[in-house]
Amino acid sequence: MTERNDGDLPDGLSAAELGMWQSFRNGTTYDLRARDGARDDPFAPYPWGPERSVAARVVARLLLSGPGARPGRVTALKLRGVLITGKLDLAGGRVDPYVELTGCRFEEEVVLPECHFTTLRMVGCAIPRLEAARLRTEGDLHLPRCRVERGIRLTDAQIGTDLLINQIDIGPDRQGRALIGDGLAVAQDLQAEMIETLGELSLRGTKVGGSLSLRGSRLRAAQGRRALNAPQLSVERTLYMSEAWVSVDTGNQGTTPPFGIVTSPTPAHGTRAQAFRCRGGVRLDDGRFGDAVDLHKAVFVLAAHEELSLRRIVAPELRFNPERPARGRVVLNGAKVVTLIDVSTSWPGPGGLAMGGFVYENLVPYGHFPLSRRLEWVAAATPEYVPEPYERLAAVLRGSGEDADAREVLLAKQRRRRETLPPAAKLWGYLQDWTVAYGYRPGRAAVWMAVLWAAGTLAFSRHEPAAIKGGEHPQWNAALYALDLLIPVINLGQDGYWRLQGGWQWASAVLVLLGWILATTVAAGASRMLRRG
């Protein structure tokens, strides 16, 4: 099979194989359909007889060393409604003709390791298994609407343009993996919209030059496996794990909203929204995404020990508004995003969220996300007190001009910290909170200063102390004297001229100490307001 046959027909070809041979030389479609919807369905139980069957060895001979094209034609293998018997083994070969198989059945697995294609399209075909490790295509690899019973292997494959597997249905292999694409490289887009998998979708170290779309797909893990295992995934643009719009009548894919975000409350007429649904763990650790990770209205069904793991991902934007997972954990430890777009109802409760070292620079909620809910979000991620999430949230709020909210976050941090202190320090913390709110509410300190000034004025108005120097003192003024004690640094001309004894001396000392504490708190609040201005 190494020398090209220029037209001599091999012996022993069946009528169906002879017709395929001639169609190959003409570059035309060889159609063996019965024109009956049920009998032409490659997934239906109806048998296809010899009149619709060709041997895999004849197909391999055409593709690897087939005859030349007729004058003015280009060779191509285009089959429709054909049963390919035996194992189609093209391992290590180079296939130059264009290949397009539509609605065909394969009797045994398709073996394509280290095979080199220009373009390969198999549309709506029934395939027991596809082995294509280190496959290389100069153009597209299309497998839409196919059904593969025992999994697909695309380990270290290189796709020259697009990989399209929309609406494919893949079962598990012996190890519980549906599609193994570890080390896969796709030059442009990887479209896997509305696919259904039973078994792990493994994309470890996969590189996608455009976007990776899993819109409307349904992934189910096999026993002991994750539903999606894609650490170190690299996507130059956006990873979509969001909803797709499909036809109400046919269930086929319709128009997908731009960027995965539905702007209208209901789908377009004649369509419905199908959410991305994942039953089993998801691992996207150490992923790099050029534009965004979009989880718009996704559904994650996790067991108690399973995770939606986004550890150490890097992305300009994370759109986190899936349905709240009832069990399992969402893990964002070490992740770095510029903008976090989220919904308050999407985040899990206490014990279901971890985000140690999670760095974000902007917060853009989809809807109403009050500060109280944001504080619950941080508390859910810190079953034990950790200051970093509070400080990160406060820094982001302060950077967006929400200085008052930032102070509330830092106050909440001090209150969480107080619960970890010994009894004496905890009591002192309660006193600080009750009096000056740890200094984060300077208005309360000003109120206390006013109260102390009024109390001091009332007390000193009933006692006029003797002067230290008989002829060198101003006229006694109880209000100014109390204010002079309360306000440090500033001299109002009363302090230092009067001799206080006994309890009055202790009262003045208390006013001086409290004045320093309260005035410092007020000054700090004023300086923050000036900086904000």
Side-chain angles (χ1 to χ4, degrees), residues 72-116:
R73 301 282 186 170
V74 176
T75 57
L77 183 65
K78 301 178 183 179
L79 304 181
R80 187 181 292 269
V82 175
L83 171 63
I84 300 174
T85 60
K87 180 189 293 186
L88 179 59
D89 189 346
L90 303 175
R94 181 181 179 91
V95 178
D96 292 323
Y98 173 82
V99 180
E100 181 178 294
L101 310 178
T102 304
C104 295
R105 286 181 184 174
F106 288 85
E107 188 178 67
E108 299 182 27
E109 66 179 353
V110 179
V111 182
L112 307 176
E114 300 188 27
C115 190
H116 187 164

Side-chain angles (χ1 to χ4, degrees), residues 232-236 284-290 312-315:
Q232 298 180 330
L233 174 65
S234 176
V235 180
E236 289 295 321
L284 294 172
D285 300 349
D286 302 295
R288 298 294 183 269
F289 307 94
R312 299 175 299 278
I313 69 165
V314 177

Side-chain angles (χ1 to χ4, degrees), residues 233-288:
L233 174 65
S234 176
V235 180
E236 289 295 321
R237 298 191 65 187
T238 300
L239 169 62
Y240 294 101
M241 299 167 67
S242 53
E243 65 182 6
W245 286 7
V246 299
S247 169
V248 172
D249 297 327
T250 66
N252 291 330
Q253 185 174 3
T255 303
T256 303
F259 312 113
I261 298 177
V262 178
T263 56
S264 60
T266 57
H269 180 70
T271 63
R272 61 177 175 83
Q274 178 170 307
F276 170 83
R277 188 177 185 88
C278 185
R279 185 179 293 273
V282 176
R283 184 185 179 204
L284 294 172
D285 300 349
D286 302 295
R288 298 294 183 269

Side-chain angles (χ1 to χ4, degrees), residues 195-199 201 214 217-221 227-228 241 276-280 282:
I195 72 172
E196 295 198 15
T197 61
L198 175 57
L201 175 57
L214 289 163
S217 294
R218 295 172 178 173
L219 312 182
R220 289 183 295 161
L228 175 60
M241 299 167 67
F276 170 83
R277 188 177 185 88
C278 185
R279 185 179 293 273
V282 176

Side-chain angles (χ1 to χ4, degrees), residues 424-482:
K426 186 180 295 185
L427 181 61
W428 172 242
Y430 277 112
L431 180 61
Q432 286 182 292
D433 194 358
W434 184 65
T435 53
V436 295
Y438 289 97
Y440 293 112
R441 292 179 182 170
R444 185 181 296 184
V447 171
W448 276 109
M449 286 192 70
V451 171
L452 290 173
W453 181 32
T457 299
L458 180 62
F460 287 123
S461 65
R462 298 182 179 182
H463 172 74
E464 183 174 345
I468 296 175
K469 295 182 180 180
E472 299 180 8
H473 63 83
Q475 183 178 355
W476 171 252
N477 187 313
L480 283 178
Y481 184 71

Side-chain angles (χ1 to χ4, degrees), residues 174-373:
R174 294 177 181 177
Q175 286 76 40
R177 296 170 297 185
L179 189 152
I180 310 172
D182 301 343
L184 171 67
V186 181
Q188 296 182 18
D189 293 335
L190 198 170
Q191 298 183 39
E193 301 184 355
M194 297 179 61
I195 72 172
E196 295 198 15
T197 61
L198 175 57
E200 184 174 272
L201 175 57
S202 182
L203 297 173
R204 296 184 297 173
T206 293
K207 297 181 179 180
V208 180
S211 294
L212 169 53
S213 179
L214 289 163
R215 292 185 179 102
S217 294
R218 295 172 178 173
L219 312 182
R220 289 183 295 161
Q223 184 68 30
R225 291 280 183 179
R226 296 181 177 88
L228 175 60
N229 187 25
Q232 298 180 330
L233 174 65
S234 176
V235 180
E236 289 295 321
R237 298 191 65 187
T238 300
L239 169 62
Y240 294 101
M241 299 167 67
S242 53
E243 65 182 6
W245 286 7
V246 299
S247 169
V248 172
D249 297 327
T250 66
N252 291 330
Q253 185 174 3
T255 303
T256 303
F259 312 113
I261 298 177
V262 178
T263 56
S264 60
T266 57
H269 180 70
T271 63
R272 61 177 175 83
Q274 178 170 307
F276 170 83
R277 188 177 185 88
C278 185
R279 185 179 293 273
V282 176
R283 184 185 179 204
L284 294 172
D285 300 349
D286 302 295
R288 298 294 183 269
F289 307 94
D291 288 345
V293 176
D294 188 353
L295 307 179
H296 185 71
K297 295 187 178 180
V299 179
F300 296 97
V301 182
L302 306 173
H305 65 280
E306 292 176 327
E307 295 179 342
L308 168 56
S309 180
L310 303 171
R311 290 175 173 88
R312 299 175 299 278
I313 69 165
V314 177
E317 189 169 284
L318 172 60
R319 303 170 191 154
F320 193 92
N321 64 328
E323 286 189 10
R324 174 182 291 172
R327 294 187 298 172
R329 291 204 312 160
V330 176
V331 184
L332 284 161
N333 293 343
K336 295 181 180 180
V337 302
V338 178
T339 302
L340 174 61
I341 303 175
D342 60 351
V343 174
S344 62
T345 56
S346 291
W347 295 105
L353 178 62
M355 53 183 191
F358 177 36
V359 177
Y360 52 96
E361 299 178 16
N362 303 297
L363 285 172
V364 182
Y366 271 108
H368 183 54
F369 204 144
L371 182 62
S372 59
R373 297 296 299 272

